[in-house]
């Protein structure tokens, strides 16, 4: 079995693959101070519920945008599983595609993994949209090369800034407004309209501009927890896959293991 770990700014996702099957996934908040021992206590309980012994796991890969977490994850892998982890983007686990931007080394692991998965699973010219702490738009051409993209504040980050910098605005949940009217009749509705439909308008506008600049038929692939919510209220996405980053880790691990 393969244990794939996606280390994001807000959460870590642990995913268990049994061959090609994604058997289980678990989420824990990101904390760079969390030790390998703490990860082990939490993870072994979940593996036990799933009926999986630590000996069943033969390979581990992680991709990280939080450098402080990397050492403790490596301790988890080596101390409790006896496995040297594959680190996405390093050594034999290099990305394996052209990064055609000014500073290729600055491309985040999550963004690179999304490019790998989208090209392998869908192909053609693509824009990959990932809803995370930040919302990222990636342009991948038909050869799988990364051509650049956009980074925008995530919707929760935008809402946090709005509530945190105002004295009287209340905290609201991110959800679709009950009506399609964009003229709110109370403070909460006005905030939700601004955050939700404002975000939809931003996505639709940016993707239209990107497609125009690319100049060829381009598919739009969405991932991240909020992708399903937005997909119900816009027609811009051709494919929605909430597990795209995890699938990228699986594909990269398979490629790296085959080299050995």
């Amino acid at each position: 079995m393969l244990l794939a770990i996606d280390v994001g700014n807000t959460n870590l996702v642990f995913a268990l693959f049994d061959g090609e099957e994604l058997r289980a996934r678990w989420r824990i908040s990101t904390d760079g101070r969390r030790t390998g021992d703490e990860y082990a206590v939490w993870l072994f309980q979940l593996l036990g519920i799933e009926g999986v012994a630590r000996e069943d796991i033969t390979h581990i890969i992680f991709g990280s945008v939080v450098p402080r977490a990397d050492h403790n994850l490596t301790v988890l892998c080596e101390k409790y599983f006896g496995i040297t982890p594959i680190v996405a983007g390093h050594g034999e686990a290099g990305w394996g595609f052209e990064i055609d931007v000014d500073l290729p080394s600055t491309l985040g692991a999550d963004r690179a993994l999304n490019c790998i998965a989208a090209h392998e699973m869908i192909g053609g010219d693509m824009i990959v949209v990932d809803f995370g702490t930040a919302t990222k738009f990636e342009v991948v051409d038909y050869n799988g090369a990364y051509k650049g993209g956009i980074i925008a504040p995530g919707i929760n980050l935008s809402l946090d800034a709005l509530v945190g910098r105002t004295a009287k605005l209340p905290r609201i949940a991110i959800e679709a407004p009950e009506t399609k009217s964009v003229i709110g009749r109370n403070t909460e509705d006005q905030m939700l309209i601004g955050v939700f439909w404002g975000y939809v308008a931003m996505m639709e506008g940016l993707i239209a501009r990107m497609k125009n600049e690319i100049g060829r038929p381009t598919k739009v692939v969405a991932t991240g927890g909020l992708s399903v919510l937005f997909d119900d209220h816009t027609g811009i996405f051709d494919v929605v896959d909430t597990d795209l980053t995890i699938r990228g880790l699986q594909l990269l691990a398979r490629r790296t293991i085959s080299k050995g």
Side-chain angles (χ1 to χ4, degrees):
M1 291 186 182
L2 169 70
L3 180 64
I5 309 169
D6 172 27
V7 186
N9 287 298
T10 302
N11 292 305
L12 286 82
V13 178
F14 288 68
L16 185 65
F17 286 93
D18 189 353
E20 295 298 312
E21 176 191 0
L22 178 52
R23 178 165 168 175
R25 70 177 70 76
W26 307 288
R27 190 177 298 266
I28 189 171
S29 60
T30 301
D31 183 349
R33 299 167 300 175
R34 185 173 285 115
T35 67
D37 301 329
E38 290 173 307
Y39 281 122
V41 171
W42 171 81
L43 182 59
F44 286 162
Q45 292 183 65
L46 294 169
L47 289 171
I49 292 170
E50 194 65 27
V52 175
R54 72 178 79 180
E55 295 80 11
D56 295 332
I57 296 173
T58 55
H59 297 90
I60 304 176
I61 184 171
F62 70 80
S64 173
V65 296
V66 185
R68 283 188 65 192
D70 295 358
H71 171 72
N72 289 329
L73 286 171
T74 300
V75 170
L76 166 70
C77 299
E78 294 181 345
K79 180 177 179 180
Y80 289 98
F81 291 94
I83 295 171
T84 299
I86 301 167
V87 182
H90 296 268
E92 291 294 315
W95 300 129
F97 60 87
E98 180 185 5
I99 303 176
D100 185 18
V101 294
D102 293 340
L103 295 171
S105 62
T106 62
L107 181 64
D110 53 344
R111 306 175 76 185
L113 291 163
N114 286 338
C115 293
I116 289 172
H119 178 67
E120 177 78 16
M121 298 165 62
I122 301 161
D125 289 293
M126 287 176 294
I127 298 169
V128 182
V129 185
D130 185 1
F131 297 95
T133 307
T135 297
K136 288 87 66 181
F137 300 74
E138 322 297 358
V139 176
V140 184
D141 74 8
Y142 54 88
N143 290 316
Y146 176 72
K147 308 300 287 186
I150 297 170
I151 301 173
I155 190 168
N156 283 298
L157 197 62
S158 300
L159 181 60
D160 287 345
L162 178 64
V163 173
R165 296 296 295 271
T166 54
K168 297 181 69 176
L169 292 182
R171 180 163 296 280
I172 60 173
I174 300 297
E175 58 186 5
E178 293 183 359
T179 72
K180 292 189 176 181
S181 172
V182 293
I183 302 175
R185 303 279 293 175
N186 57 67
T187 298
E188 287 82 358
D189 285 352
Q190 291 166 5
M191 290 175 64
L192 186 56
I193 289 166
V195 171
F196 187 86
W197 290 120
Y199 217 79
V200 170
M202 177 198 73
M203 291 187 297
E204 292 176 340
L206 287 176
I207 286 172
R209 286 173 175 265
M210 295 172 85
K211 284 185 169 183
N212 185 62
E213 189 170 335
I214 293 167
R216 295 184 299 272
T218 303
K219 297 175 183 176
V220 181
V221 183
T223 191
L226 290 172
S227 57
V228 175
L229 173 64
F230 284 120
D231 186 44
D232 290 336
H233 297 88
T234 181
I236 57 176
F237 303 135
D238 297 295
V239 178
V240 175
D241 185 345
T242 57
D243 293 319
L244 196 67
T245 312
I246 288 295
R247 292 291 182 187
L249 282 166
Q250 179 204 21
L251 290 165
L252 184 59
R254 187 171 64 192
R255 180 199 307 165
T256 306
I257 294 165
S258 68
K259 292 178 182 177

